[in-house]
Amino acid sequence: MTLNNCTIIGITGGIASGKSTLTNMLRKKGYIVIDADSISRDVTKIGKPSYYEIIEHFGYEILLEDKSIDRKLLGKLIFENLQLREELNGIVHSRVFEELQLLINKYCNDNEIIFIDIPLLFETIEVAKSFGLIFDEIWVVYVDNDIQLKRLMSRDDITKEEALLKIKSQMSLDEKAKIANRVLYNNGKLNELENDLEQILSKLR
Ligand code: ADP
């Protein structure tokens, strides 16, 4: 039984836990995956509503020479300041959920499954609900802490200290796994993750 016209599955996890890896596998299998991060980049592009709201809030200092938002600087500012982070989330998240709803309406047909890759799903679930977005299932891509650290350092070419700071600034992956409908363990090889995924998908279909 689904609450929507199609089955909506949210995919979340921690930084470098393997969300993109999993959603790439899904895309290759022909599934529709909506990427919430890419929507959040879109809604802050020059001329988009969140662009002006961010300038209003953070001032023109937040712009690069080409007038686009300096995402690196913005990231640094909100990383260091919880209040600013919440203010930016207030600006961007509602726009992201508006766009998400539009895309879901576009793709949603009876009996179809739509996956949404949404890193901050649990952190923003109340905002999602207020936009009428109900997830039929939430999957968490889980990885052990030491493997997460190694993969993050290598993917982003950062030091152990930087990687630890990033991991620690997030809601813990164990907590996320506890409240998920399904947990996909990504400690092993890629083909192990793919096999788990295939098993889960075969039960869904
Ligand atoms: P996320 O999207 O959750 O931030 P990614 O999918 O980018 O995480 O994965 C983080 C890094 O770990 C990437 O460089 C990816 O190629 C690598 N990775 C993911 N899963 C595995 C795996 N099972 N084995 C080896 N490397 C992996």
Side-chain angles (χ1 to χ4, degrees), residues 11-25 37 117 119 141 143 147-148 150-156 170 185-194:
I11 294 182
T12 194
I15 188 167
S17 74
K19 298 175 297 297
S20 310
T21 306
L22 186 84
T23 51
N24 283 337
M25 289 174 182
D37 255 0
D117 178 353
V141 186
V143 70
I147 303 177
Q148 180 183 27
K150 274 188 204 141
R151 288 186 185 156
L152 176 59
M153 285 167 65
S154 134
R155 185 194 65 186
D156 292 359
Q170 297 193 326
Y185 291 92
N186 186 24
N187 290 322
K189 297 210 167 69
L190 288 172
N191 69 320
E192 293 174 48
L193 180 67
E194 183 139 29

Coordinates of all heavy atoms in Angstrom, one line a residue, residues 11-25 37 117 119 141 143 147-148 150-156 170 185-194, ligand 1:
I11 N 16.4 7.9 -0.2 CA 17.7 7.3 0.1 C 18.6 8.3 0.8 O 18.8 9.4 0.4 CB 18.4 6.8 -1.2 CG1 17.5 5.7 -1.8 CG2 19.8 6.4 -0.9 CD1 18.1 5.1 -3.0
T12 N 19.1 7.9 2.0 CA 19.9 8.8 2.8 C 21.0 8.0 3.4 O 21.2 6.9 3.2 CB 19.0 9.6 3.8 OG1 19.7 10.7 4.3 CG2 18.5 8.7 4.9
G13 N 21.8 8.7 4.2 CA 23.0 8.1 4.9 C 23.8 9.2 5.4 O 23.4 10.3 5.6
G14 N 25.1 8.9 5.5 CA 26.0 9.9 6.0 C 26.9 10.4 4.8 O 26.8 9.8 3.7
I15 N 27.8 11.3 5.1 CA 28.7 11.8 4.0 C 29.6 10.6 3.7 O 30.1 9.8 4.5 CB 29.6 13.0 4.5 CG1 30.4 13.6 3.4 CG2 30.4 12.6 5.8 CD1 31.0 14.9 3.7
A16 N 29.8 10.3 2.4 CA 30.6 9.2 1.8 C 30.2 7.8 2.3 O 31.0 6.9 2.3 CB 32.1 9.5 2.2
S17 N 28.9 7.7 2.6 CA 28.5 6.3 3.0 C 28.1 5.5 1.8 O 28.1 4.3 1.9 CB 27.3 6.4 4.0 OG 26.1 6.8 3.3
G18 N 28.0 6.2 0.7 CA 27.7 5.4 -0.6 C 26.4 5.7 -1.3 O 25.9 5.0 -2.1
K19 N 25.8 6.9 -0.9 CA 24.5 7.2 -1.5 C 24.6 7.4 -3.0 O 23.8 6.8 -3.8 CB 23.9 8.5 -0.9 CG 23.7 8.5 0.6 CD 23.2 9.8 1.1 CE 24.3 10.9 0.9 NZ 25.5 10.7 1.7
S20 N 25.6 8.1 -3.5 CA 25.7 8.3 -4.9 C 26.0 7.0 -5.6 O 25.6 6.7 -6.7 CB 26.8 9.3 -5.3 OG 26.7 10.5 -4.5
T21 N 26.9 6.2 -5.0 CA 27.2 4.9 -5.5 C 26.0 4.1 -5.7 O 25.7 3.5 -6.8 CB 28.2 4.2 -4.6 OG1 29.3 5.1 -4.3 CG2 28.7 2.9 -5.2
L22 N 25.1 4.0 -4.7 CA 23.9 3.3 -4.8 C 22.9 3.9 -5.9 O 22.3 3.1 -6.7 CB 23.2 3.2 -3.5 CG 22.0 2.3 -3.4 CD1 22.4 0.9 -3.2 CD2 20.9 2.7 -2.4
T23 N 22.8 5.2 -5.9 CA 21.8 5.8 -6.8 C 22.3 5.6 -8.2 O 21.5 5.5 -9.1 CB 21.5 7.2 -6.4 OG1 22.7 8.0 -6.3 CG2 20.6 7.3 -5.2
N24 N 23.6 5.6 -8.4 CA 24.1 5.4 -9.8 C 23.8 4.0 -10.2 O 23.4 3.8 -11.4 CB 25.6 5.6 -9.9 CG 26.0 7.0 -9.9 OD1 25.2 7.9 -10.3 ND2 27.2 7.4 -9.5
M25 N 23.8 3.0 -9.3 CA 23.4 1.6 -9.7 C 21.9 1.6 -10.1 O 21.5 1.0 -11.0 CB 23.6 0.7 -8.5 CG 25.1 0.4 -8.1 SD 25.2 -0.6 -6.6 CE 27.0 -0.7 -6.5
D37 N 20.4 17.2 -3.8 CA 21.5 18.1 -3.7 C 21.6 18.9 -5.0 O 22.0 20.1 -4.9 CB 22.8 17.3 -3.5 CG 23.3 17.4 -2.1 OD1 22.7 18.1 -1.3 OD2 24.4 16.8 -1.9
D117 N 17.3 10.9 -3.7 CA 18.6 10.9 -3.0 C 18.6 12.2 -2.2 O 18.7 13.3 -2.8 CB 19.7 10.8 -4.0 CG 21.1 10.9 -3.4 OD1 21.2 11.1 -2.2 OD2 22.1 10.7 -4.1
P119 N 20.4 13.6 1.2 CA 21.3 13.4 2.3 C 20.7 13.9 3.7 O 21.0 13.2 4.7 CB 22.5 14.3 1.9 CG 22.4 14.4 0.4 CD 21.0 14.4 0.1
V141 N 22.0 4.1 3.6 CA 23.2 3.5 3.1 C 24.2 3.7 4.3 O 24.6 4.8 4.7 CB 23.8 4.1 1.9 CG1 25.0 3.3 1.4 CG2 22.7 4.2 0.8
V143 N 27.7 2.7 6.5 CA 29.1 2.2 6.4 C 29.7 2.4 7.8 O 29.4 3.3 8.6 CB 29.9 3.0 5.3 CG1 30.1 4.5 5.8 CG2 31.2 2.4 4.9
I147 N 35.7 2.9 7.8 CA 35.7 2.9 6.3 C 35.2 4.2 5.7 O 35.7 4.7 4.7 CB 34.8 1.7 5.8 CG1 35.4 0.4 6.5 CG2 34.8 1.6 4.3 CD1 34.5 -0.8 6.1
Q148 N 34.2 4.8 6.4 CA 33.6 6.0 6.0 C 34.7 7.1 6.0 O 34.9 7.9 5.0 CB 32.5 6.5 7.0 CG 31.9 7.8 6.6 CD 30.8 8.2 7.7 OE1 30.9 7.8 8.8 NE2 29.8 9.0 7.3
K150 N 38.0 6.7 5.7 CA 39.0 6.4 4.7 C 38.4 6.8 3.3 O 39.1 7.5 2.5 CB 39.4 4.9 4.6 CG 40.5 4.6 5.6 CD 40.9 3.1 5.3 CE 41.6 2.6 6.6 NZ 41.2 1.2 6.9
R151 N 37.2 6.5 3.0 CA 36.6 6.8 1.7 C 36.4 8.3 1.6 O 36.6 8.8 0.5 CB 35.3 6.0 1.6 CG 35.4 4.6 1.3 CD 34.1 3.9 1.0 NE 34.3 2.4 0.9 CZ 33.4 1.5 1.1 NH1 32.1 1.9 1.4 NH2 33.6 0.2 1.1
L152 N 36.0 9.0 2.6 CA 35.8 10.4 2.6 C 37.2 11.1 2.3 O 37.2 12.0 1.4 CB 35.2 10.9 3.8 CG 35.0 12.4 4.0 CD1 34.1 13.0 2.8 CD2 34.3 12.8 5.3
M153 N 38.2 10.7 3.0 CA 39.5 11.3 2.9 C 40.0 11.2 1.4 O 40.5 12.1 0.8 CB 40.5 10.7 3.8 CG 40.4 11.1 5.3 SD 41.3 10.1 6.4 CE 43.0 10.5 5.9
S154 N 39.8 9.9 0.9 CA 40.3 9.7 -0.4 C 39.4 10.4 -1.5 O 40.0 11.0 -2.4 CB 40.4 8.2 -0.6 OG 39.9 7.7 -1.8
R155 N 38.1 10.3 -1.3 CA 37.3 11.0 -2.4 C 37.5 12.5 -2.4 O 37.6 13.1 -3.5 CB 35.8 10.7 -2.1 CG 34.9 11.2 -3.2 CD 33.4 11.2 -2.8 NE 33.2 12.2 -1.7 CZ 32.0 12.3 -1.1 NH1 31.0 11.6 -1.5 NH2 31.8 13.2 -0.1
D156 N 37.5 13.1 -1.2 CA 37.6 14.6 -1.2 C 39.0 15.1 -1.1 O 39.2 16.3 -1.0 CB 36.7 15.2 -0.1 CG 35.2 14.9 -0.4 OD1 34.9 14.4 -1.5 OD2 34.4 15.3 0.4
Q170 N 27.5 15.8 11.4 CA 26.2 15.3 10.9 C 25.6 14.4 12.0 O 26.2 13.9 12.9 CB 26.5 14.3 9.7 CG 27.1 15.0 8.5 CD 27.1 14.2 7.3 OE1 27.2 13.0 7.4 NE2 26.9 14.8 6.2
Y185 N 24.1 -2.2 3.9 CA 25.4 -2.1 4.4 C 26.5 -2.0 3.3 O 26.4 -2.8 2.4 CB 25.7 -3.3 5.3 CG 24.9 -3.2 6.6 CD1 23.6 -3.8 6.6 CD2 25.3 -2.5 7.7 CE1 22.8 -3.7 7.7 CE2 24.5 -2.4 8.8 CZ 23.2 -3.0 8.8 OH 22.4 -2.8 9.9
N186 N 27.3 -1.0 3.4 CA 28.3 -0.8 2.3 C 29.7 -0.8 2.8 O 30.5 0.0 2.4 CB 28.0 0.6 1.6 CG 28.8 0.9 0.4 OD1 29.3 -0.1 -0.3 ND2 29.0 2.1 0.1
N187 N 30.0 -1.8 3.6 CA 31.3 -2.0 4.1 C 32.2 -2.8 3.2 O 33.4 -2.8 3.2 CB 31.3 -2.7 5.5 CG 30.8 -1.8 6.5 OD1 31.0 -0.6 6.5 ND2 30.0 -2.4 7.4
G188 N 31.5 -3.6 2.3 CA 32.2 -4.5 1.5 C 32.5 -4.0 0.1 O 32.6 -2.8 -0.1
K189 N 32.6 -4.9 -0.9 CA 32.9 -4.6 -2.2 C 31.6 -4.1 -2.9 O 30.5 -4.3 -2.5 CB 33.4 -5.8 -3.0 CG 34.7 -6.4 -2.4 CD 35.5 -7.1 -3.5 CE 36.9 -7.3 -3.1 NZ 37.0 -8.4 -2.0
L190 N 31.8 -3.4 -4.0 CA 30.7 -2.8 -4.8 C 29.7 -3.9 -5.2 O 28.5 -3.6 -5.2 CB 31.2 -2.0 -6.0 CG 31.9 -0.7 -5.7 CD1 32.5 -0.1 -7.0 CD2 31.0 0.3 -5.1
N191 N 30.2 -5.0 -5.6 CA 29.3 -6.1 -6.1 C 28.4 -6.6 -5.0 O 27.3 -7.1 -5.2 CB 30.0 -7.2 -6.9 CG 30.9 -8.0 -6.0 OD1 31.5 -7.5 -5.1 ND2 30.9 -9.3 -6.3
E192 N 28.9 -6.5 -3.7 CA 28.1 -7.0 -2.6 C 26.9 -6.0 -2.4 O 25.8 -6.4 -2.1 CB 28.9 -7.0 -1.3 CG 30.0 -8.1 -1.3 CD 30.9 -8.1 -0.1 OE1 30.4 -8.0 1.0 OE2 32.2 -8.1 -0.3
L193 N 27.2 -4.7 -2.5 CA 26.2 -3.7 -2.4 C 25.1 -3.9 -3.5 O 23.9 -3.9 -3.3 CB 26.8 -2.3 -2.5 CG 25.8 -1.1 -2.4 CD1 25.2 -1.0 -1.0 CD2 26.5 0.2 -2.7
E194 N 25.6 -4.2 -4.7 CA 24.7 -4.3 -5.8 C 23.9 -5.6 -5.6 O 22.7 -5.6 -6.0 CB 25.5 -4.4 -7.1 CG 24.7 -4.6 -8.3 CD 25.1 -3.7 -9.5 OE1 26.4 -3.5 -9.6 OE2 24.3 -3.3 -10.3
Ligands
ADP1 P1 28.0 9.7 -0.7 O1 27.2 9.9 -2.0 O2 27.1 9.0 0.3 O3 28.6 10.9 -0.2 P2 29.8 8.1 -2.4 O4 28.8 7.2 -3.1 O5 30.3 9.3 -3.1 O6 29.1 8.6 -1.0 O7 30.9 7.2 -1.9 C1 32.1 7.8 -1.2 C2 33.4 7.3 -1.8 O8 33.5 5.9 -1.5 C3 33.4 7.4 -3.3 O9 34.7 7.7 -3.7 C4 33.0 6.0 -3.8 O10 33.5 5.7 -5.1 C5 33.6 5.1 -2.7 N1 32.8 3.9 -2.5 C6 31.5 3.8 -2.2 N2 31.2 2.5 -2.0 C7 32.3 1.8 -2.1 C8 32.6 0.4 -2.0 N3 31.6 -0.5 -1.7 N4 33.9 0.0 -2.2 C9 34.8 0.9 -2.5 N5 34.6 2.2 -2.6 C10 33.4 2.7 -2.4

